[in-house]
């Protein structure tokens, strides 16, 4: 007998919505975060949730453009990913400890674009993609200034962590972070990443 899916257990009443969402996303969404998601949906245009161009294209490719439920699911997925990004990001003080510098130095690097931070509504947070367990991703400080500062945090997170077809190691596409982590830091290797960023900007223009 096959194990019951999260969906079937939810429909039977064996799981509440919060637990079902946690199982599906792997993100521990608390009630405060769920309230923010509900507010986001409540304030959306009554004609349907506003989607990014990327989300709208994904829905179109999947044949779900006429489905309000699919559009709402895309909006909830985005909000869940954003809640997770907020929960896993570092404060300025935490980033200073991670890099062994002062908070003032972290603020300076944010200002000059060599570190990436976003405003959470309460404070500035630095997403984890740019850090290793013991410091910063090597050479990322040479790449970050080429990323527009007005991009949505989830866009930047995806850009840094998803495999790029132009970055290949051992025959497999790797992410910008993975490429830089294994890089010797030569100008040519850095330029390859800059070229990837230029192509992404051109595609989204």
């Amino acid at each position: 007998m096959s194990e019951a899916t999260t969906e079937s257990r939810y429909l039977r009443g064996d799981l509440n919505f919060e637990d079902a969402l946690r199982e599906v996303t792997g993100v521990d969404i608390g009630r405060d975060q769920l309230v923010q998601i509900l507010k986001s949906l409540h304030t959306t245009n009554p004609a349907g949730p506003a989607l990014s161009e990327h989300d709208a294209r994904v829905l179109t490719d999947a044949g779900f453009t006429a489905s309000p439920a699919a559009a709402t699911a895309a909006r909830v997925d985005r909000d869940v990913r954003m809640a997770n990004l907020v929960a896993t990001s570092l404060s300025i003080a935490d980033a200073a400890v991670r890099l062994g510098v002062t908070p003032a130095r972290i603020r300076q690097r944010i200002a000059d674009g060599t570190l990436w931070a976003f405003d959470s509504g309460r404070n500035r947070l630095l997403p984890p993609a740019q850090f290793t367990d013991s410091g910063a991703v090597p050479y990322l400080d040479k790449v970050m200034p080429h990323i527009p500062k007005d991009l949505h945090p989830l866009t930047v997170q995806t850009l840094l962590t998803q495999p790029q077809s132009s970055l290949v190691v051992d025959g497999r596409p790797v992410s910008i972070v993975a490429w830089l982590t294994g890089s010797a830091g030569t100008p040519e290797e850095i330029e390859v990443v800059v070229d990837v960023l230029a192509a992404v900007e051109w595609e989204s223009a």
Side-chain angles (χ1 to χ4, degrees):
M1 182 176 179
S2 61
E3 185 176 349
T5 65
T6 300
E7 292 85 352
S8 64
R9 290 160 57 218
Y10 173 71
L11 288 172
R12 287 201 309 263
D14 296 338
L15 286 177
N16 63 32
F17 181 74
E18 293 163 68
D19 289 338
L21 190 61
R22 187 177 299 112
E23 280 194 12
V24 170
T25 64
V27 178
D28 190 8
I29 298 293
R31 292 213 164 197
D32 288 346
Q33 293 165 319
L34 278 175
V35 167
Q36 293 304 313
I37 292 172
L38 290 173
K39 285 182 179 179
S40 174
L41 293 173
H42 180 71
T43 57
T44 298
N45 185 323
L51 299 176
S52 67
E53 290 184 10
H54 173 267
D55 288 341
R57 187 165 58 250
V58 169
L59 288 174
T60 299
D61 292 344
F64 288 122
T65 50
S67 170
T72 300
R75 182 68 176 266
V76 170
D77 173 70
R78 186 186 66 182
D79 288 346
V80 167
R81 287 186 288 119
M82 190 64 206
N84 187 51
L85 187 63
V86 169
T88 58
S89 292
L90 281 67
S91 67
I92 287 176
D94 290 338
V97 171
R98 180 75 62 91
L99 299 187
V101 298
T102 64
R105 176 57 179 154
I106 296 296
R107 294 187 186 94
Q108 181 182 356
R109 289 194 57 184
I110 292 171
D112 65 24
T114 58
L115 278 176
W116 159 43
F118 67 93
D119 187 352
S120 71
R122 295 182 179 178
N123 51 15
R124 302 199 80 184
L125 296 174
L126 295 90
Q130 58 199 323
F131 300 101
T132 65
D133 291 339
S134 58
V137 171
Y139 318 112
L140 191 59
D141 59 330
K142 302 183 187 313
V143 170
M144 290 306 302
H146 295 275
I147 298 179
K149 292 185 178 181
D150 58 352
L151 290 180
H152 191 281
L154 290 176
T155 299
V156 181
Q157 177 78 359
T158 298
L159 182 61
L160 293 179
T161 60
Q162 293 298 308
Q164 303 289 332
S165 60
S166 300
L167 303 177
V168 179
V169 175
D170 295 331
R172 293 185 300 109
V174 298
S175 69
I176 289 174
V177 166
W179 175 271
L180 292 174
T181 300
S183 169
T186 66
E188 292 77 12
E189 289 172 320
I190 302 299
E191 190 62 32
V192 169
V193 178
V194 172
D195 288 344
V196 169
L197 295 177
V200 171
E201 291 178 34
W202 178 81
E203 289 171 359
S204 60

